[in-house]
Amino acid sequence: MSTENFELPDVGEGLTEAEIVSWHVKAGDTVELNQTLCEIETAKSIVELPSPFEGRVVELFASEGQTVDVGKHILSIETAGASSGSETPTAAPEAPAADLEFDAAQADAASTVSTEGAESGANSVLVGYGLGDAPTTRRRKKSAAPAQPTRPAQIPAPAQPSHRPPAQAPAPVAGGAQPQARPGSVPAASASPIIAKPPIRKLAKDLGVDLSQVEPTGLAGETTRDDVIRHAQQASVFKNLETPIWGEVREEKHPVKGVRKATANAMVSSMFTAPHVTLFTDVDATRTMEFVKRLKASPDFAGVKVSPLLIVARAVMWAIRRNPTVNAAWTDEEYTIKHYVNLGLAAATPRGLIVPNIKDAHAMTLHQLAQAIEQLTYRARDGKTPPTEMRDGTFTITNIGVFGMDTGTPVINPGEVGILALGTIKLKPWVFEDEVRPRMVTTLGASFDHRLVDGDVASRFLADVATIVEEPALLLD
């Protein structure tokens, strides 16, 4: 027997310290290789730390909520001797990604949706100290008892694909009757099983929605994300439907740490380093809204969230090609114009504001971009954004319209020279074809680093974005 001390690692983002959010083990527990020990919160995301040893937990050196420096011991594990130690150095760089891709918390999603498996793999690379043979061990464990973590209602759809066509066939003919019959029946024996992907089931669980009570609108009779959110009477996953009541405590003090500390440092650095210049323009977005409606009805976009943000994102990348100076980085010695777009999307999360980015967004099709935006948004909401998605952004969009705001003066993300704010899109009187008509109108606001971006370039860029929002068909040219 030997005792191994586990040190807080640098998860790949120049980490100096992290807070222990929650422990998944306690003293006396037996742990396996790559079993999750705890969750830590860095300045950018929440990361799970897997065990590099197998054995028995002897002692925890840090408590939940405590901030620990990188390299400090956080727990000790009593191992069986040389077996664990001899295996540890054999870890291959890509082994952790293969192993953690099948994390128990995301097992359903990883086995059904390949893109989500890739995301989990991206997260696992952050730690980078799992064992080479661990994937085999974890996969055998999962396959031995696949039904344990899965609800009975989930079994019929994936396990018996041959029964799906009969269940889907009558949907167009008697679409109104089936949703009423489903709640009173037993899902496992129902003639019309609930069809929903694992991410949709997870969303329903998070929102407290019974899928048997949701009327599906998918083309194949499946329950979509919009169905779940609509049933929960919740326009946004971040929207607070209840007004909290103040307690007896008159004031609350909170330490400045994590995402809040990182945001504060970034905003101060940006505002007092880059001289901001901000422009605004009103845009008739009626055709964009019509285009979004057509995309939602298209079978090619079934199961993918489509919103005006998707069209604006494509418009931004089109405008960047025509005005490349806005897609650059500035230093006092030189500036670098980038011929690629890592598109940042400001995300309001329960932990604070973060700006993950979509790598090489310029090379994606419209469908690929829609998927990337959706996946990035839900990773941010769940606190699972990997540090790799927080680095190397080239231009940012902040969608303040989802909060009902017309416009704002966005602050440039450090390391970039431009940011676009998309306001709410609503019906307003607008002069169209020499007549005042009701049109869907929005306001675009954009800030630029005036050290590099001159007024004429900034104006042309914003005008180009507005052109596409007014006539998205130009993207097809």
Side-chain angles (χ1 to χ4, degrees), residues 96-426:
D99 173 65
L100 292 183
E101 184 180 36
F102 290 88
D103 184 88
Q106 300 177 354
D108 291 340
S111 61
T112 307
V113 186
S114 61
T115 56
E116 293 196 1
E119 295 161 13
S120 298
N123 281 337
S124 62
V125 175
L126 304 181
V127 178
Y129 53 74
L131 301 185
D133 59 348
T136 306
T137 303
R138 291 297 295 276
R139 289 176 182 171
R140 284 202 301 267
K141 184 175 179 180
K142 279 178 79 276
S143 60
Q148 294 297 326
T150 309
R151 298 182 303 178
Q154 296 175 346
I155 296 174
Q160 301 179 17
S162 60
H163 295 304
R164 286 182 182 173
Q168 296 169 7
V173 180
Q178 288 185 358
Q180 299 175 2
R182 186 180 301 148
S185 61
V186 179
S190 172
S192 180
I194 298 172
I195 304 175
K197 294 180 180 179
I200 306 303
R201 294 181 183 272
K202 182 180 184 302
L203 176 64
K205 182 179 179 181
D206 292 343
L207 297 179
V209 172
D210 182 358
L211 285 176
S212 66
Q213 303 292 329
V214 179
E215 182 175 353
T217 62
L219 295 179
E222 75 277 9
T223 301
T224 67
R225 180 170 279 108
D226 288 341
D227 296 336
V228 173
I229 295 177
R230 188 183 307 110
H231 187 84
Q233 298 180 343
Q234 187 171 334
S236 167
V237 294
F238 304 112
K239 198 169 187 178
N240 186 6
L241 299 180
E242 298 181 358
T243 301
I245 300 175
W246 281 343
E248 297 295 329
V249 179
R250 292 177 60 85
E251 296 180 351
E252 292 182 18
K253 295 188 183 224
H254 300 273
V256 179
K257 61 181 182 178
V259 172
R260 177 54 53 203
K261 184 176 182 179
T263 301
N265 292 337
M267 294 300 96
V268 170
S269 173
S270 178
M271 288 299 296
F272 289 94
T273 302
H276 283 51
V277 57
T278 305
L279 307 176
F280 306 95
T281 186
D282 293 332
V283 186
D284 180 359
T286 304
R287 288 196 174 105
T288 283
M289 298 304 290
E290 293 171 349
F291 187 36
V292 168
K293 187 176 180 179
R294 290 197 299 272
L295 290 178
K296 286 182 176 180
S298 170
D300 294 336
F301 284 81
V304 180
K305 184 176 181 179
V306 179
S307 71
L309 177 61
L310 172 64
I311 311 305
V312 172
R314 284 300 294 266
V316 163
M317 289 182 283
W318 182 77
I320 284 174
R321 287 178 181 268
R322 293 163 56 87
N323 306 274
T325 310
V326 304
N327 192 56
W330 172 277
T331 66
D332 290 335
E333 292 76 25
E334 63 180 9
Y335 61 89
T336 304
I337 295 177
K338 301 175 181 180
H339 300 294
Y340 60 90
V341 180
N342 291 343
L343 185 65
L345 298 176
T349 75
R351 298 170 56 243
L353 176 67
I354 64 173
V355 189
N357 63 77
I358 301 170
K359 299 293 189 290
D360 292 326
H362 66 284
M364 294 182 175
T365 64
L366 198 61
H367 185 272
Q368 291 170 338
L369 185 60
Q371 287 181 317
I373 292 174
E374 181 179 31
Q375 293 160 7
L376 179 143
T377 300
Y378 282 93
R379 280 197 298 275
R381 182 205 68 180
D382 295 336
K384 301 298 183 183
T385 300
T388 52
E389 285 188 357
M390 305 284 287
R391 294 196 296 261
D392 304 324
T394 64
F395 193 92
T396 296
I397 299 175
T398 176
N399 185 10
I400 59 176
V402 296
F403 304 110
M405 296 296 101
D406 291 328
T407 189
T409 54
V411 179
I412 301 168
N413 197 30
E416 302 171 13
V417 297
I419 181 172
L420 178 83
L422 171 62
T424 187
I425 302 175
K426 56 188 177 183

